[in-house]
Amino acid sequence: MLGFIIKNVFTMKLTVLRYSGSKESTLGLLFIDGVFACYTLEDEFREIKVMGETRIPVGKYQVKLRTYGGHHTRYLKRYGSDFHKGMLQVMDVPGFTDILIHKGNDDDDTSGCLLVGDSANNNQVKNGFIGNSKVAYDRIYSVVRDVLSNGDEVWIEFLER
């Protein structure tokens, strides 16, 4: 008789609800398992992708920890190995590579990645900006990192308003 051990896998769901797009940026709201967590900023929408200047397509993607690359090295040095276990990478985005969730304030701080912050301005009257990015990132990162470090799954879905 064969025996099986089935691991119960917890799945965390991140949702980005985009609420304002301008010619330079897209603002959104990030929810963790349905609870508001912070604001987001991405590059603008484009019909045809421009490298480093186009937001992530609508869809659902898995998030994993990435333990290589420039961001990982900088964050590891800044935070130390007790906190930083790898960058949050959005996997298998069609036409995109190396999509991360990280700190930053405006579209100059992202090349297609998702930035997080605790405040946002109106990108219809001024260039898109999110503030208190480090505070939001530290809070979001620790929750997502712990789920991934436990061997569970994290998925992120990007939605339009």
Side-chain angles (χ1 to χ4, degrees), residues 19 27 38-40 105 116-121 129-133 136:
Y19 67 87
L27 295 172
C38 66
Y39 295 94
T40 64
N105 300 112
V116 295
D118 275 344
S119 63
N121 73 339
F129 181 88
I130 56 174
N132 300 311
S133 186

Side-chain angles (χ1 to χ4, degrees), residues 2-161:
L2 288 174
F4 293 96
I5 297 176
I6 300 173
K7 182 180 179 203
N8 291 327
V9 176
F10 171 78
T11 301
M12 173 183 276
K13 182 180 180 185
L14 309 179
T15 305
V16 175
L17 177 59
R18 296 167 171 150
Y19 67 87
S20 183
S22 71
K23 66 178 184 162
E24 294 293 324
S25 66
T26 302
L27 295 172
L29 306 170
L30 176 69
F31 297 87
I32 299 178
D33 292 329
V35 177
F36 174 72
C38 66
Y39 295 94
T40 64
L41 187 139
E42 302 172 77
D43 283 316
E44 67 274 15
F45 171 78
R46 292 178 186 271
E47 287 287 339
I48 299 172
K49 181 182 185 288
V50 174
M51 181 73 151
E53 294 292 331
T54 306
R55 72 182 187 205
I56 300 161
V58 168
K60 185 176 178 182
Y61 310 99
Q62 192 165 16
V63 176
K64 294 189 176 184
L65 290 172
R66 183 175 99 175
T67 57
Y68 62 89
H71 270 90
H72 171 66
T73 302
R74 285 190 300 279
Y75 281 43
L76 185 59
K77 185 176 180 180
R78 181 175 298 133
Y79 287 104
S81 61
D82 287 342
F83 182 82
H84 183 75
K85 304 298 183 191
M87 297 302 298
L88 301 177
Q89 182 173 1
V90 181
M91 305 301 295
D92 303 319
V93 178
F96 290 69
T97 60
D98 304 316
I99 300 300
L100 304 174
I101 300 171
H102 63 85
K103 296 182 288 188
N105 300 112
D106 61 30
D107 70 306
D108 291 333
D109 296 328
T110 179
S111 293
C113 295
L114 181 70
L115 306 179
V116 295
D118 275 344
S119 63
N121 73 339
N122 182 342
N123 69 349
Q124 298 302 304
V125 296
K126 189 176 180 182
N127 289 338
F129 181 88
I130 56 174
N132 300 311
S133 186
K134 181 185 181 321
V135 173
Y137 177 80
D138 292 357
R139 185 179 65 253
I140 302 310
Y141 178 82
S142 62
V143 171
V144 175
R145 172 207 62 207
D146 289 351
V147 170
L148 291 171
S149 294
N150 192 42
D152 293 318
E153 293 183 353
V154 176
W155 288 81
I156 187 166
E157 186 171 17
F158 292 83
L159 303 172
E160 299 297 328
R161 57 179 151 74

